[in-house]
Amino acid sequence: MYESRLEYLFERYINRRCNKVEEQELMELLELPDNERMVKLAMDKVMERTEPDLKMPADTAVFILQQIVGADKRKTIAAKVKRFASGTWGRVAAAAVIIAIVTTIVYTVSTGGHKEKQMRIATVEDVIHPGEDKALLTLADGSVVYLNEMPDGALQQGDYTIKKEGSVLQCNAGSAGSGISSAGAFNILSTPRGGQFQLVLPDGSKVWLNAESSLKFPVVFDKRLREVELTGEAYFEIKSVVSQNGKVKMPFDVVVNLPLGKQAKVHVLGTHFNVNAYNNEVAMNTTLIEGAVNVSEGGQHVALRPGQQARIAGEGSLKVVAHADTEKAVAWKNGLFHFDDVDVATIMRQISRWYDVEIVYAGNVPARHFVGKIRRSAELSEVLEILRLSDIGFKVNGKTIIVQ
């Protein structure tokens, strides 16, 4: 039972049953602000029938629609929506239309109580899966443990116990100097492209390691200073250590490897923060979620407050972003790609790391910028199809993506 003519046409359009006259009528109804309530109702019903793990945020939907302008098949629809895709009503109408478009292309919709797979564009010949929980642990004695192949359980290293539980590596130190000396004894947790892992350090601090990254940490922390060394990207939740009189002791330092052999340091007293320091990115970013940190490099020092970001650009200048997008900074940890006016090259670097693929450009890099969120659990073909809606071509040859 339909509550309105608009809802009826909306349903027909989603399921590709609209004729040209009905499609034109639907577009005209969507343009009328008086129909806002009915549009919202139709959207809600569509999303109720969409599988939960495939739902798309409205902001992402609006963005995709705005990128369709160049697609001849939907030029008329895109042009109509673009005229009023601003303000509250415009966003509702734009989201309504894009949900209709995208649902018929990408997502699964159940109709009439029967789940029916709609045709999904998937021109990628070989299915390339997203990254997963996998890492290598190089022990102080030089031996290597493949954590994704290691069964859950404990591994003894002198008085030092390492316990794997699923995607988490728990490190518990015994008495310093017993079995393995704390001086110069380090383990290294490293993730390949297409891998991620979690680590609980001997002091109880937690680290989430992103793809193509490594963390060097001591077998036993020094009693005066806790220090680790990071290459790549990681999110930290540092446990503060205080003395009986309430003073902070045993500060925590993250030494960050930068290009050209340089290093930066994040000095921590107990806090949550993210460090992105891939050598092929344009800047090293330290984003503070809560607590307090000091970031230093080459004689430069800045103190951060929650919500701020320290940025070291390629030329070595250290700057503070007063109002950083903290959600974007930690999106990877929460299972998302978060693009906010991001260019194609930046997106493809993230895709390369997470899907373990090589990126090759046929000609100039397309001058496009993207806004939106995509699940990191999506197959590569799904991600490329969203980008294809912006008229960027991709050819997949094994583990190589050619951007056209």
Side-chain angles (χ1 to χ4, degrees), residues 131-199:
E132 58 185 351
D133 298 321
K134 59 183 177 181
L136 303 178
L137 177 65
T138 303
L139 299 172
D141 62 5
S143 59
V144 177
V145 180
Y146 294 83
L147 294 177
N148 47 305
E149 298 177 2
M150 172 185 171
D152 287 357
L155 177 67
Q156 199 70 26
Q157 188 185 15
D159 280 354
Y160 188 82
T161 302
I162 302 172
K163 185 178 182 181
K164 174 180 175 283
E165 294 182 354
S167 62
V168 181
L169 192 67
Q170 174 81 49
C171 300
N172 299 303
S175 56
S178 174
I180 290 183
S181 171
S182 62
F186 292 89
N187 292 331
I188 301 175
L189 179 66
S190 57
T191 54
R193 290 198 302 186
Q196 64 180 9
F197 223 78
Q198 297 179 42
L199 173 67

Side-chain angles (χ1 to χ4, degrees), residues 261-317:
K262 295 182 178 181
Q263 290 185 326
K265 182 175 288 187
V266 182
H267 183 67
V268 186
L269 298 178
T271 185
H272 299 180
F273 61 99
N274 190 83
V275 178
N276 181 313
Y278 288 109
N279 287 340
N280 61 350
E281 294 295 346
V282 296
M284 170 249 183
N285 296 318
T286 299
T287 309
L288 182 61
I289 310 302
E290 65 177 63
V293 300
N294 294 316
V295 181
S296 61
E297 191 275 330
Q300 305 173 89
H301 303 268
V302 297
L304 296 184
R305 295 191 301 270
Q308 293 184 333
Q309 181 181 84
R311 177 171 297 174
I312 301 176
E315 69 277 9
S317 62

Side-chain angles (χ1 to χ4, degrees), residues 67-356:
Q67 305 303 317
I68 296 176
V69 177
D72 293 337
K73 190 173 182 180
R74 300 184 179 87
K75 191 174 292 184
T76 302
I77 297 172
K80 283 180 176 292
V81 176
K82 190 177 180 182
R83 289 202 302 269
F84 53 84
S86 61
T88 303
W89 160 245
R91 292 174 68 82
V92 170
V97 177
I98 191 57
I99 286 174
I101 294 172
V102 176
T103 300
T104 60
I105 300 174
V106 182
Y107 299 122
T108 300
V109 177
S110 63
T111 56
H114 173 68
K115 288 193 173 181
E116 180 182 64
K117 293 284 185 180
Q118 300 289 351
M119 181 181 71
R120 181 172 71 185
I121 299 175
T123 58
V124 179
E125 295 80 7
D126 300 318
V127 176
I128 298 178
H129 301 294
E132 58 185 351
D133 298 321
K134 59 183 177 181
L136 303 178
L137 177 65
T138 303
L139 299 172
D141 62 5
S143 59
V144 177
V145 180
Y146 294 83
L147 294 177
N148 47 305
E149 298 177 2
M150 172 185 171
D152 287 357
L155 177 67
Q156 199 70 26
Q157 188 185 15
D159 280 354
Y160 188 82
T161 302
I162 302 172
K163 185 178 182 181
K164 174 180 175 283
E165 294 182 354
S167 62
V168 181
L169 192 67
Q170 174 81 49
C171 300
N172 299 303
S175 56
S178 174
I180 290 183
S181 171
S182 62
F186 292 89
N187 292 331
I188 301 175
L189 179 66
S190 57
T191 54
R193 290 198 302 186
Q196 64 180 9
F197 223 78
Q198 297 179 42
L199 173 67
V200 180
L201 294 167
D203 65 338
S205 296
K206 298 177 181 179
V207 184
W208 285 255
L209 205 59
N210 202 353
E212 203 172 9
S213 303
S214 67
L215 189 78
K216 182 179 180 181
F217 57 98
V219 171
V220 179
F221 277 124
D222 187 277
K223 292 183 178 180
R224 295 165 298 174
L225 174 68
R226 298 168 292 169
E227 185 174 276
V228 299
E229 183 178 327
L230 171 68
T231 299
E233 183 170 22
Y235 175 80
F236 295 85
E237 292 184 355
I238 303 304
K239 185 176 181 179
S240 58
V241 179
V242 297
S243 61
Q244 291 182 347
N245 60 8
K247 291 185 178 181
V248 175
K249 65 177 184 178
M250 287 186 67
F252 196 107
D253 283 355
V254 180
V255 177
V256 184
N257 292 319
L258 302 176
L260 304 177
K262 295 182 178 181
Q263 290 185 326
K265 182 175 288 187
V266 182
H267 183 67
V268 186
L269 298 178
T271 185
H272 299 180
F273 61 99
N274 190 83
V275 178
N276 181 313
Y278 288 109
N279 287 340
N280 61 350
E281 294 295 346
V282 296
M284 170 249 183
N285 296 318
T286 299
T287 309
L288 182 61
I289 310 302
E290 65 177 63
V293 300
N294 294 316
V295 181
S296 61
E297 191 275 330
Q300 305 173 89
H301 303 268
V302 297
L304 296 184
R305 295 191 301 270
Q308 293 184 333
Q309 181 181 84
R311 177 171 297 174
I312 301 176
E315 69 277 9
S317 62
L318 176 57
K319 300 179 180 178
V320 175
V321 178
H323 303 288
D325 189 339
T326 56
E327 181 184 356
K328 175 184 174 182
V330 300
W332 70 269
K333 171 183 169 289
N334 298 324
L336 292 171
F337 293 111
H338 186 162
F339 304 133
D340 184 10
D341 195 26
V342 177
D343 60 32
V344 174
T346 299
I347 290 176
M348 298 313 294
R349 287 195 296 270
Q350 293 188 40
I351 288 176
S352 174
R353 287 192 290 263
W354 185 234
Y355 291 92
D356 188 16

